[in-house]
């Protein structure tokens, strides 16, 4: 018999505040630890395994740096930067900076990694800094996502604060006039669809949060409200 076909590598994209984005490769563990709501502070995430690309477009006024904690190092980002991190089974770590610059701190010292440089940290070896590593399939997927997001059309119905979600609204639905509410967004779904059915409620930081299974689900289920109208069906009404 033929051996079973291995499943395709899984990927995920997480949209963070201020238009920042994290994209995760297959079998990657990421913990979003802190995003200070007020006062100067550091936004912090922890990568326990796998690989991730971080797109830090801008820092919110209340955040002075973006920090990525790893088992053997900590990465500090204080200017707009794009970086990729990878953790390997042998205990080594690779940090590639596509644009901007970052500071990598380890028990052995601090290394500055600039645009188009790659830093490799291996157990019992000194840090190695060299030219940006060649692109692979994960990098190409990231590039394709960038192109898709750049094509998204800004809509006048979407509040400025929700602009990072504009590509999802363009790709998965359309804007329609909703009597009494102005314009709302209608997702492209199967007949009989209703909101808050495909997903589950989870407890996150002491609050119940709806975790949608729809690829467009974060924005419409955490901002604004859903309304049903006989002439339109279900439509999402953006916040004022």
């Amino acid at each position: 018999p033929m051996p079973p076909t291995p499943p395709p590598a899984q990927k995920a994209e997480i949209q963070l505040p201020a238009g920042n984005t994290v994209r995760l490769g297959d079998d990657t563990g990421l913990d979003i630890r802190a995003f200070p709501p007020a006062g100067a502070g550091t936004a912090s995430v922890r990568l326990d395994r796998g690989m991730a690309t971080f797109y830090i477009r801008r820092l919110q006024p209340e955040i002075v740096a973006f920090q990525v904690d790893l088992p053997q190092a900590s990465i500090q980002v204080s200017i707009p930067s794009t970086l990729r991190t990878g953790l390997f089974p042998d205990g080594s770590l690779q940090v590639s900076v596509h644009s901007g610059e970052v500071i990598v701190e380890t028990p052995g010292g601090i290394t500055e990694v600039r645009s188009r440089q790659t830093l490799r940290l291996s157990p019992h070896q000194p840090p190695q800094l060299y030219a940006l590593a060649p692109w692979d399939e994960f990098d190409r997927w990231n590039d394709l996502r960038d192109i898709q997001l750049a094509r998204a059309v800004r809509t006048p119905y979407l509040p400025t604060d929700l602009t990072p979600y504009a590509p999802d609204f363009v790709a998965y639905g359309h804007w329609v006039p909703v009597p009494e509410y102005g314009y709302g967004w209608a997702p492209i779904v199967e007949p009989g669809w209703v909101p808050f059915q495909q997903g589950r409620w989870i407890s996150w930081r002491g609050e119940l949060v709806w975790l949608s299974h729809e690829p467009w689900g974060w924005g419409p289920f955490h901002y604004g409200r859903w309304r049903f109208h006989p002439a339109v069906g279900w439509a999402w009404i953006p916040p004022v």
Side-chain angles (χ1 to χ4, degrees):
M2 294 291 293
T5 302
Q10 302 297 306
K11 305 178 185 68
E13 180 175 278
I14 302 174
Q15 295 175 341
L16 302 176
N20 300 316
T21 305
V22 181
R23 298 189 186 127
L24 308 177
D26 193 32
D27 192 28
T28 296
L30 182 76
D31 180 21
I32 299 177
R33 309 177 76 180
F35 277 86
T42 298
S44 176
V45 302
R46 179 175 177 82
L47 186 71
D48 292 315
R49 66 181 186 277
M51 58 185 173
T53 298
F54 298 86
Y55 292 81
I56 309 304
R57 304 304 189 197
R58 66 185 181 92
L59 297 174
Q60 296 166 275
E62 64 271 17
I63 294 177
V64 297
F66 185 90
Q67 180 171 308
V68 182
D69 291 323
L70 304 138
Q72 64 274 66
S74 177
I75 304 172
Q76 288 274 346
V77 185
S78 56
I79 65 171
S81 302
T82 299
L83 63 142
R84 172 178 168 176
T85 60
L87 296 170
F88 301 97
D90 64 356
S92 62
L93 159 69
Q94 187 165 289
V95 180
S96 295
V97 178
H98 294 263
S99 65
E101 63 182 38
V102 305
I103 299 294
V104 180
E105 183 175 358
T106 68
I110 293 176
T111 304
E112 183 179 278
V113 187
R114 298 182 177 179
S115 179
R116 305 197 64 77
Q117 288 185 328
T118 292
L119 173 68
R120 185 159 185 114
L121 300 173
S122 300
H124 315 300
Q125 298 289 333
Q128 295 178 311
L129 195 63
Y130 49 92
L132 187 66
W135 275 25
D136 59 13
E137 190 273 338
F138 185 61
D139 290 315
R140 288 188 287 272
W141 174 72
N142 277 277
D143 188 53
L144 176 61
R145 285 294 298 149
D146 285 342
I147 294 173
Q148 293 170 337
L149 294 177
R151 289 175 177 171
V153 179
R154 176 76 173 92
T155 170
Y157 311 119
L158 195 64
T160 302
D161 290 346
L162 299 185
T163 297
Y165 303 106
D168 289 341
F169 289 101
V170 172
Y172 295 105
H174 49 272
W175 294 91
V176 295
V178 181
E180 301 180 14
Y181 294 101
Y183 273 81
W185 179 78
I188 301 172
V189 290
E190 296 290 332
W193 179 92
V194 295
F196 296 100
Q197 293 295 312
Q198 299 182 28
R200 59 191 175 94
W201 292 98
I202 63 171
S203 178
W204 188 66
R205 296 184 178 178
E207 296 183 4
L208 282 177
V209 176
W210 179 254
L211 185 62
S212 173
H213 292 169
E214 286 104 347
W216 46 263
W218 182 263
F221 286 114
H222 293 83
Y223 305 95
R225 51 187 172 167
W226 288 93
R227 288 293 182 266
F228 181 83
H229 192 279
V232 176
W234 284 103
W236 174 76
I237 310 301
V240 177

